[in-house]
Amino acid sequence: MINVIKQFILNNSLLFSASAIKKVSILQLAASSWRNFDYGRLVYLIFINGQPKVVAKLYRTSKHNNSLTKEFKVLKYLQSQNADFCSKPIILAQIGEHKVSFETFIEGCSLFQELTNIRYHPGVSAKYLSRFFREHFNIAYSIFNKQNAQNEKGSGIEEKEEIKELLNEYSSLSNAKEDLIQKIEAITNSINFGISSKRVVHFNLAAINIFKANNSFYKLTDFECSQKSYLWYIEPAMFVFHYVGNVVELGFVKNTLLEAMHSFRFNPKNIFEKAAMDFCKKCFNNDPRFIQKAFILGLIKSYILQKKVRSFMADIEEKNFMDIIEFWLKEKSLSMLDTAVRISTRNEDIGEYTKRLKERMSQLQSQLSSITSSRGWKMTTTLHTIRMKLPILKNL
C-alpha cells in the first residue's frame, strides 16, 4: 500500500507541493493495534523532498470507507469556517478498494506525550506539576472555545431526541439495566441550558489528540468520531475523563480511576483536581448541574466509542465505566472535603525507591552478620586459614 500511495502523490504532485517533487518517503505512524482488526486504521507520515508534509489515513478494510468520508467532510466544513485549530484536508482519494484521506501534517508534540515525558523526568516538583496541569487545561479550554464558535441555533426537542438515541445505543451495547437508563434520561432531560445549539463535536477530545504545534498554535487531530451534534457540552467532560485516565495510567495519581474521579468531583483541593475543576467551571459557567449532565453523557459517549472499536473490552473495564456513570448520577453538590487522592512526583518515587533499597540492605547485612557469627562459619574460616598457611595444602 505504501508504494501505491507514493505513486498517487507523484501522479498528483500539484496537490501536495508547490515545487517539483524529487523524492517521496513514507513512515507508518500508527496501526491501531488495540482495536478490532477490521476497525483498525493505518496512519502514514509522508515526507516530500525530505520534509514531513502530509498525513495519509485509511482503514485496514474497505468496510469503514464511509467513516473516513464523514471525517473528511467534517474537516472540509471546518476549513470553510476558517477554523485554525485543525489540519487542512487535501483530498479524499479512492486507491484500489480503499478510501485514503490526505491532510496537512501538524508538527509538534501531543499533550499526552508531554505527560509521558514529564513523568520520567527526575526533578519534577508538585509546584511544577501544578503549572503543567493548568497549562494543559488552558489549552483544552482554548480549543473548546474555538470549536464552540462554529455553532448553529437548534431545537431543545431535537437535543432530547439525540440524548434518547445515545441512551438507546448505550443500552444495546452495555449490560445497563432499564431502570438505570430511565434514570439517566430523566436527569439529563431535566437539566436545560437555555437555547439549544449544534456544532461539530469532536467526541474524542483527549490529550493524545491535542498538539502543541511548533508555531505556538494548538491543534486538534483525529476527527474520526466527529459530527454535528447538540451535545457540544460533553467535550470538556470527555477531556477531563480521559485526562484522569492518563494521570492514573502514568502513576501521577496513586488511586484507581473511580477513586480519582470521586476526588475530582468532591474535592478540587489537590493540584490536579483544582486545575480540572477550574477548567470545568470556566466551560460550564460554574453550574454543578451542568457539570453533572455533561459528565454522565460524556462518559456514556466514551463507553460507546470504546465498545465499537474494541469488542474485546474486558469485563473489569466495562464495570469501571458503569460504576463511574452511576457515581455521577448521585445528586450531590460539589464540596470542598478532604481527599485521599494524592499526586505522586518523580522525587517521591525516588525517595520511596531509596527507602526500599535501604530496608533491603539492612536485611542483607543482618543476614550476613548472622552467618559470619555462626559456629560453622568460624570453623570453615579457621580451616581455610590453616590451609593457606601450609605450603603442602595451599595448592590443593
Side-chain angles (χ1 to χ4, degrees):
M1 194 65 189
I2 287 178
N3 289 333
V4 178
I5 291 173
K6 187 183 294 186
Q7 192 57 52
F8 178 85
I9 293 169
L10 291 171
N11 292 344
N12 299 273
S13 59
L14 292 177
L15 287 172
F16 301 97
S17 177
S19 57
I21 297 179
K22 297 177 181 177
K23 182 181 179 183
V24 175
S25 51
I26 299 178
L27 174 69
Q28 183 172 303
L29 290 180
S32 303
S33 57
W34 53 275
R35 300 185 183 203
N36 298 335
F37 180 82
D38 70 331
Y39 212 98
R41 296 216 303 180
L42 302 173
V43 181
Y44 298 110
L45 174 58
I46 298 163
F47 294 80
I48 296 176
N49 298 336
Q51 298 298 315
K53 292 291 185 181
V54 180
V55 169
K57 299 176 182 176
L58 68 150
Y59 284 91
R60 283 201 184 99
T61 68
S62 57
K63 177 180 174 182
H64 298 288
N65 278 347
N66 287 341
S67 296
L68 204 62
T69 302
K70 281 173 58 181
E71 180 179 359
F72 190 81
K73 284 181 177 178
V74 165
L75 288 175
K76 289 290 285 185
Y77 170 77
L78 290 173
Q79 185 184 33
S80 72
Q81 300 296 304
N82 298 315
D84 64 352
F85 56 84
C86 55
S87 60
K88 289 182 172 59
I90 299 172
I91 186 173
L92 181 67
Q94 183 76 42
I95 302 180
E97 64 175 13
H98 293 280
K99 292 277 189 184
V100 181
S101 174
F102 294 91
E103 59 190 64
T104 55
F105 169 65
I106 296 172
E107 188 172 358
C109 177
S110 75
L111 301 191
F112 179 74
Q113 187 58 54
E114 277 199 338
L115 268 177
T116 306
N117 292 344
I118 206 68
R119 181 69 193 106
Y120 299 105
H121 194 281
V124 178
S125 65
K127 187 176 180 181
Y128 179 84
L129 277 178
S130 179
R131 292 197 307 269
F132 188 77
F133 290 142
R134 243 188 348 262
E135 181 192 4
H136 278 194
F137 282 107
N138 285 337
I139 292 170
Y141 179 67
S142 171
I143 287 179
F144 173 69
N145 273 346
K146 287 181 178 180
Q147 280 184 282
N148 210 26
Q150 322 289 331
N151 60 43
E152 305 168 9
K153 287 184 180 179
S155 158
I157 295 172
E158 289 176 339
E159 181 187 344
K160 287 185 178 181
E161 281 299 313
E162 188 175 350
I163 291 172
K164 191 170 184 179
E165 287 175 15
L166 183 72
L167 295 181
N168 286 340
E169 192 173 7
Y170 173 59
S171 62
S172 67
L173 291 174
S174 73
N175 296 318
K177 295 179 180 176
E178 189 176 341
D179 59 338
L180 175 64
I181 302 295
Q182 289 174 349
K183 187 177 181 183
I184 292 171
E185 188 172 17
I187 288 177
T188 53
N189 284 336
S190 68
I191 305 170
N192 298 313
F193 312 116
I195 300 171
S196 292
S197 63
K198 67 189 298 188
R199 65 168 178 80
V200 171
V201 184
H202 188 271
F203 281 133
N204 195 14
L205 192 66
I208 198 168
N209 290 327
I210 297 178
F211 277 72
K212 292 175 75 173
N214 291 347
N215 56 6
S216 298
F217 283 97
Y218 307 119
K219 301 286 187 179
L220 187 57
T221 65
D222 193 6
F223 283 76
E224 178 185 10
C225 305
S226 304
Q227 64 185 64
K228 282 193 176 182
S229 168
Y230 286 96
L231 307 184
W232 55 268
Y233 46 82
I234 74 176
E235 293 277 61
M238 292 182 79
F239 179 78
V240 171
F241 175 68
H242 291 302
Y243 202 90
V244 170
N246 293 152
V247 297
V248 170
E249 177 190 347
L250 292 171
F252 282 109
V253 171
K254 298 295 186 181
N255 288 79
T256 65
L257 181 58
L258 179 58
E259 290 166 336
M261 290 299 291
H262 184 285
S263 173
F264 158 71
R265 182 174 180 190
F266 290 111
N267 180 37
K269 277 185 176 178
N270 188 292
I271 60 174
F272 165 69
E273 280 88 12
K274 186 170 189 326
M277 183 54 71
D278 288 346
F279 164 69
C280 284
K281 285 178 178 178
K282 284 194 294 185
C283 293
F284 302 138
N285 299 319
N286 206 14
D287 186 339
R289 299 268 295 161
F290 200 153
I291 295 173
Q292 183 188 26
K293 179 174 182 175
F295 265 91
I296 291 170
L297 296 178
L299 287 162
I300 288 171
K301 188 65 178 180
S302 293
Y303 175 88
I304 291 170
L305 293 177
Q306 290 213 35
K307 190 72 174 177
K308 275 184 174 180
V309 300
R310 295 176 59 202
S311 62
F312 50 89
M313 182 188 285
D315 290 340
I316 190 167
E317 291 177 289
E318 188 159 336
K319 185 178 184 307
N320 205 17
F321 260 108
M322 289 188 177
D323 287 345
I324 297 171
I325 290 167
E326 289 195 42
F327 165 75
W328 276 89
L329 282 171
K330 297 172 185 174
E331 296 186 48
K332 294 181 180 178
S333 60
L334 299 167
S335 59
M336 297 291 285
L337 304 173
D338 287 335
T339 178
V341 173
R342 72 177 180 84
I343 292 290
S344 165
T345 66
R346 188 65 176 152
N347 284 341
E348 287 176 351
D349 287 350
I350 291 171
E352 291 174 7
Y353 180 67
T354 304
K355 183 181 176 183
R356 289 197 300 271
L357 281 179
K358 286 180 178 178
E359 288 173 352
R360 181 60 178 155
M361 184 66 74
S362 177
Q363 291 173 356
L364 291 172
Q365 285 175 339
S366 177
Q367 291 173 8
L368 183 61
S369 176
S370 176
I371 291 170
T372 54
S373 62
S374 67
R375 186 176 178 184
W377 179 269
K378 289 178 180 177
M379 288 177 62
T380 303
T381 303
T382 302
L383 290 171
H384 178 72
T385 303
I386 294 170
R387 176 176 169 243
M388 295 306 291
K389 287 183 177 179
L390 295 174
I392 193 170
L393 298 176
K394 189 174 183 180
N395 294 324
L396 290 177

